[in-house]
């Protein structure tokens, strides 16, 4: 194997390693964002459930019984 060919292969490997590191960084950042969004969705779902429960309880208490 010629020295030029070896240098070319080493250069390619170096670029591939840099690209893999960039991709890994992107995937890590995306996973952190997904985790944050899932946490926000859970909090919003819990807040909606609490609001729905409060609205349901409040509306039943405010109703006039049918015999009036």
């Amino acid at each position: 194997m010629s020295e030029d060919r070896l240098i070319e292969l080493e250069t390619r490997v170096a670029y591939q390693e840099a690209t893999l590191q960039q991709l890994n960084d992107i995937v890590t950042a995306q996973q952190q964002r997904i985790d944050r969004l899932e946490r926000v969705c859970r909090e919003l779902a819990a807040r909606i459930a609490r609001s729905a429960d409060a609205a349901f309880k409040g509306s039943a208490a405010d109703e006039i019984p049918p015999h009036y």
Side-chain angles (χ1 to χ4, degrees), residues 11-24:
T11 303
R12 284 185 182 184
V13 168
Y15 278 117
Q16 288 177 346
E17 287 176 349
T19 301
L20 284 173
Q21 184 59 49
Q22 289 173 341
L23 289 172
N24 184 55

Side-chain angles (χ1 to χ4, degrees), residues 44-65:
L44 288 173
R47 189 180 300 176
I48 289 170
R50 285 191 305 269
S51 295
D53 287 345
F56 179 72
K57 290 177 183 175
S59 66
D62 293 338
E63 279 187 29
I64 298 174

Side-chain angles (χ1 to χ4, degrees), residues 1-28:
M1 189 178 282
S2 72
E3 187 174 331
D4 291 340
R5 180 77 176 140
L6 183 59
I7 291 171
E8 179 186 343
L9 290 173
E10 288 175 340
T11 303
R12 284 185 182 184
V13 168
Y15 278 117
Q16 288 177 346
E17 287 176 349
T19 301
L20 284 173
Q21 184 59 49
Q22 289 173 341
L23 289 172
N24 184 55
D25 293 344
I26 290 168
V27 169
T28 301

Side-chain angles (χ1 to χ4, degrees), residues 2 15 22 26 29 38-40 42-43 49 63 66-68:
S2 72
Y15 278 117
Q22 289 173 341
I26 290 168
E38 286 177 339
R39 186 175 58 249
V40 167
R42 281 192 305 271
E43 290 170 0
E63 279 187 29
H67 62 275
Y68 282 116

